[in-house]
Amino acid sequence: MIKRVMSLIAALGVVVATFVFLPASTASAATCAPAWSSSAVYWGGGAASYNGHNWSARWWTQNERPGTAEVWADQGACGTGGTDPGTPNPSGFVVSEAQFNQMFPSRNSFYTYSGLTAALSAYPGFANTGSDTVKKQEAAAFLANVSHETGGLVHIVEQNTANYPHYCDTSQSYGCPAGQAAYYGRGPIQLSWNFNYKAAGDALGIDLLGNPWQVEQNASVAWKTGLWYWNTQSGPGTMTPHNAMVNGAGFGETIRSINGSLECNGGNPAQVQSRIDKYKAFVQILGTTPGSNLSC
C-alpha cells in the first residue's frame, strides 16, 4: 500500500523526501547546543548546554552557571550536554577573577583582584573553612559588606572630610603620631580611628599607626585591613563576622559586627536591606544559597 501511494505522488510531480523509519526505541533527544563556558559572553537568546540540558539566556550573562541563575531558561533535555566547570582559579579562592569583576563592574582600579588574593595569606581560614557552600557564603558575605561600605569598591577613602579630625582618641598612650586628622576611613572596610590602625598594624606586622596612608596606597595592605577586621573584630556585635558565617549564625550577625549599633534592631532598616540584597546577588553569582538569619 505504501509503495502504491508513493508511486502516485511521484506521478503527480511532487518532490518527495526520502524517509528512514526507525524503531521508537532508537529515537534520540534534542541536539545539544555548544557546552556552556564560564568565560564566554552570552547575549539574550544565546544557547548553551549544561548537565544534559539546553539553556537559553534571557539577557546578557557571563560566568552565571545554568541552573543556578534566573538568567537561564531551561529548554529541556539534550543527551549528555556540557559540564564545563570553568577556568581553574590558581589562587584557590572560591571567587574567580571573572566573578569578582561581575560583582564590581564599576570598581576603582585600586581594588585589584590580585591585591585581594595576595592578602588571603594573612588569614588562611577566611573563605576556606567548612563546606564549599559555607566557603562561598563567607566570601559573598565579606564582599557584600565591602561593597556596601565603599559604594561598590569605588571609594578608597571616607568621603566626608569633616569627620577626619574626629578619629584621634588622645586617651591612648601612643596618641596620633601621624597627625590628628590622619586616621579617617580607608580601604574596603573603611578602617578608622587611631586605635584600629594600631591594632591592625600590630596584627599584620605593618606600621599603620605611623603611616596610615599605606591603606590607600597599597591594594594588598588595604585588603588585609579588611580581612583583619572580618576575622578578628566583633565591633558592636558578639562575634567576628568570620565566626558568624562559619558557625551558622548567619549574614545578619556580620552586619551587627560591622555597624550594628547604627543599623540593627530597627536603627536603619534600609541600610540593612541594602547589605542583604547585595549578599543575595553575590551568592547567586557564586552558585550557592544565602542560608538563614539574613537580617539583624
Side-chain angles (χ1 to χ4, degrees):
M1 181 66 180
I2 292 176
K3 181 177 180 180
R4 289 177 60 192
V5 172
M6 296 295 284
S7 298
L8 178 59
I9 293 173
L12 294 174
V14 179
V15 177
V16 180
T18 301
F19 293 92
V20 177
F21 295 94
L22 297 175
S25 61
T26 64
S28 59
T31 301
C32 286
W36 173 79
S37 171
S38 59
S39 60
V41 171
Y42 298 92
W43 297 91
S49 62
Y50 185 76
N51 280 351
H53 281 239
N54 277 328
W55 302 83
S56 177
R58 293 188 171 101
W59 53 81
W60 185 97
T61 180
Q62 183 181 29
N63 201 29
E64 293 181 282
R65 198 177 300 272
T68 64
E70 63 178 354
V71 63
W72 289 103
D74 190 348
Q75 302 299 307
C78 69
T80 57
T83 56
D84 174 20
T87 304
N89 184 3
S91 72
F93 188 35
V94 294
V95 180
S96 70
E97 186 167 8
Q99 290 168 330
F100 178 77
N101 290 334
Q102 185 179 353
M103 292 172 176
F104 303 103
S106 303
R107 65 180 171 83
N108 190 304
S109 60
F110 172 78
Y111 290 111
T112 60
Y113 178 78
S114 60
L116 171 57
T117 55
L120 296 177
S121 60
Y123 294 96
F126 167 73
N128 198 31
T129 303
S131 67
D132 286 344
T133 295
V134 171
K135 293 173 185 177
K136 291 178 180 180
Q137 287 174 342
E138 183 180 11
F142 172 73
L143 292 172
N145 280 299
V146 159
S147 181
H148 182 85
E149 296 292 320
T150 61
L153 286 186
V154 171
H155 302 304
I156 303 171
V157 303
E158 183 176 353
Q159 298 301 288
N160 188 354
T161 57
N163 282 343
Y164 285 17
H166 300 163
Y167 296 120
C168 177
D169 181 358
T170 56
S171 70
Q172 303 294 333
S173 60
Y174 43 78
C176 298
Q180 182 172 337
Y183 301 98
Y184 50 85
R186 296 180 178 90
I189 292 285
Q190 293 289 282
L191 185 72
S192 55
W193 290 98
N194 56 329
F195 48 80
N196 279 326
Y197 278 88
K198 175 70 163 61
D202 288 350
L204 297 169
I206 307 169
D207 180 17
L208 297 182
L209 182 67
N211 185 3
W213 295 278
Q214 293 180 79
V215 183
E216 63 185 88
Q217 296 169 349
N218 185 311
S220 180
V221 171
W223 282 114
K224 284 180 180 179
T225 63
L227 291 173
W228 166 79
Y229 192 94
W230 184 267
N231 287 276
T232 69
Q233 302 300 297
S234 299
T238 60
M239 64 189 77
T240 67
H242 170 72
N243 285 338
M245 295 308 297
V246 302
N247 293 326
F251 179 72
E253 288 304 310
T254 73
I255 302 173
R256 190 181 302 280
S257 297
I258 292 172
N259 206 26
S261 58
L262 296 179
E263 295 181 16
C264 293
N265 301 319
N268 197 329
Q271 293 295 301
V272 171
Q273 191 59 50
S274 173
R275 294 180 193 263
I276 294 171
D277 291 345
K278 189 62 67 175
Y279 173 61
K280 287 181 175 178
F282 285 4
V283 292
Q284 183 175 350
I285 289 173
L286 296 182
T288 190
T289 54
S292 56
N293 303 323
L294 301 186
S295 186
C296 63

